[in-house]
Amino acid sequence: MQDRYAMPMPMPMPMQLRCGRHQLDLSYPRVMGILNVTPDSFSDGGRHNALDEAVYRAETMLAEGAAIIDIGGESTRPGASPVPLQEELDRVLPVVERLVSELDALVSLDTSRGEVMREAASRGAGMINDVRSLRWPGALEAAAMSGLPVCVMHMLGEPTDMQLAPHYEMPIEEAVAAFLETRIAECEAAGIRREQLVLDPGFGFGKRVEHNLRLLNRMQPLTDFGLPLLAGMSRKSMIGKVLARPVEERLPGGLALATMAVERGARIVRVHDVGPTVDAVNMTWAVLQEGTDA
Ligand code: 9MG
């Protein structure tokens, strides 16, 4: 009998993602810069100021080497509740428009709503990053219609309750692999091309510190799906808990984790601190490539 959670035979990974007008080269690891556009992210000097600040921050991250800017208008931190649809649209769409028209940036939209995906895609967004893996009504269809690449991520529960008492009946890496396998199948059934998918183990989403550490150590087998892996651990509480550091002192821990994720196969790391991470990732990659023909 086949093992239910056995990994499929390793498949070659797509080295290029077609992101609307942009082509994303994933033959080496890339950095995704985080741009939160929630009310607490920018100055309280009104919407115009906040918009200018968001554009400036994106410009800085691009100059530091970010390949993608991930815009999010809904907090997905533990305990956070979804915002109303119109509020999310009002927060993210002006930023998408300006980053596309003024910076020609490859913009990824961190959203779970089909309407937001559709509107952002029509304004030039190049990628969808859904922490709920297109499980909200209408999201699968909207993502398929957009033709954009989608990052599908493992999460147990919802941000409102995911960190209350996360519990798994099997080793975390098996639970994550089984979940992603199901999501890949559902995405393909909805018409999303397999080579347009990016997989994410979902560090911090319904996971205790021990789960996160174990998952990072056992992340490499997820590359057997033959799809690019994305890892996001920047400033997360796993760093705070291990090192007893407040959020503003988590950069060294985050760099260590980004390095380890790349060493274990991640081709995109999602971070707040782009410049230092680009250096850490490029250094790691140079070591990994040593002795190869690349
Ligand atoms: C929005 N968001 C917050 N953390 C994340 C993570 O780890 N991965 C992805 N894909 N998105 C995230």
Side-chain angles (χ1 to χ4, degrees):
M1 204 173 77
Q2 263 203 327
D3 179 353
R4 225 172 117 210
Y5 301 113
M7 276 293 181
M9 284 293 287
M11 278 182 252
M13 190 191 94
M15 291 291 185
Q16 304 280 332
L17 271 189
R18 177 93 238 127
C19 305
R21 309 178 323 287
H22 292 269
Q23 188 89 356
L24 180 63
D25 183 1
L26 291 178
S27 61
Y28 60 102
R30 310 303 296 268
V31 171
M32 170 187 266
I34 299 170
L35 189 65
N36 289 325
V37 288
T38 49
D40 53 347
S41 313
F42 292 104
S43 74
D44 50 9
R47 282 211 190 254
H48 283 300
N49 260 350
L51 183 53
D52 286 342
E53 279 183 47
V55 175
Y56 177 73
R57 192 171 292 181
E59 202 171 7
T60 306
M61 290 195 285
L62 292 169
E64 289 176 345
I68 313 160
I69 304 293
D70 191 40
I71 302 177
E74 178 209 340
S75 174
T76 51
R77 284 196 196 121
S81 311
V83 294
L85 168 64
Q86 193 57 50
E87 183 62 35
E88 191 181 348
L89 289 167
D90 292 345
R91 286 180 190 175
V92 300
L93 295 183
V95 186
V96 174
E97 277 173 2
R98 285 196 53 187
L99 298 201
V100 167
S101 65
E102 293 174 26
L103 307 179
D104 192 28
L106 168 44
V107 165
S108 147
L109 229 287
D110 158 18
T111 186
S112 297
R113 290 194 163 107
E115 294 90 334
V116 181
M117 294 172 195
R118 251 192 305 278
E119 294 298 326
S122 76
R123 286 162 174 80
M127 188 170 170
I128 294 164
N129 172 31
D130 183 5
V131 298
R132 297 182 182 85
S133 282
L134 308 180
R135 286 178 292 159
W136 271 11
L140 263 175
E141 296 74 13
M145 279 295 290
S146 76
L148 297 178
V150 183
C151 177
V152 293
M153 195 197 81
H154 175 269
M155 171 164 62
L156 180 68
E158 274 285 314
T160 35
D161 62 8
M162 66 188 180
Q163 290 308 108
L164 294 183
H167 173 76
Y168 293 86
E169 295 293 338
M170 66 184 80
I172 181 82
E173 67 278 12
E174 291 181 14
V176 168
F179 174 91
L180 292 175
E181 190 169 16
T182 305
R183 296 315 300 150
I184 294 169
E186 295 215 2
C187 287
E188 286 192 272
I192 300 173
R193 289 188 5 254
R194 186 184 173 94
E195 58 274 20
Q196 288 290 78
L197 295 176
V198 173
L199 305 180
D200 185 338
F203 292 103
F205 284 85
K207 297 170 185 83
R208 298 175 190 275
V209 179
E210 313 85 68
H211 292 137
N212 289 313
L213 300 180
R214 182 182 167 105
L215 190 53
L216 179 56
N217 260 339
R218 289 163 180 76
M219 197 176 130
Q220 185 89 43
L222 294 177
T223 61
D224 291 350
F225 281 114
L227 295 171
L229 297 186
L230 185 154
M233 291 175 278
S234 175
R235 299 185 188 173
K236 285 193 178 168
S237 67
M238 64 187 284
I239 306 172
K241 288 192 177 133
V242 171
L243 302 179
R245 297 284 181 208
V247 71
E248 63 279 7
E249 290 175 21
R250 294 181 187 167
L251 176 58
L255 293 177
L257 296 176
T259 299
M260 295 189 77
V262 167
E263 211 256 332
R264 285 154 176 74
R267 285 297 167 92
I268 304 175
V269 288
R270 181 181 181 277
V271 299
H272 301 85
D273 304 287
V274 170
T277 308
V278 167
D279 275 2
V281 160
N282 288 347
M283 196 66 236
T284 309
W285 190 243
V287 176
L288 292 173
Q289 291 307 100
E290 185 276 328
T292 69
D293 289 337

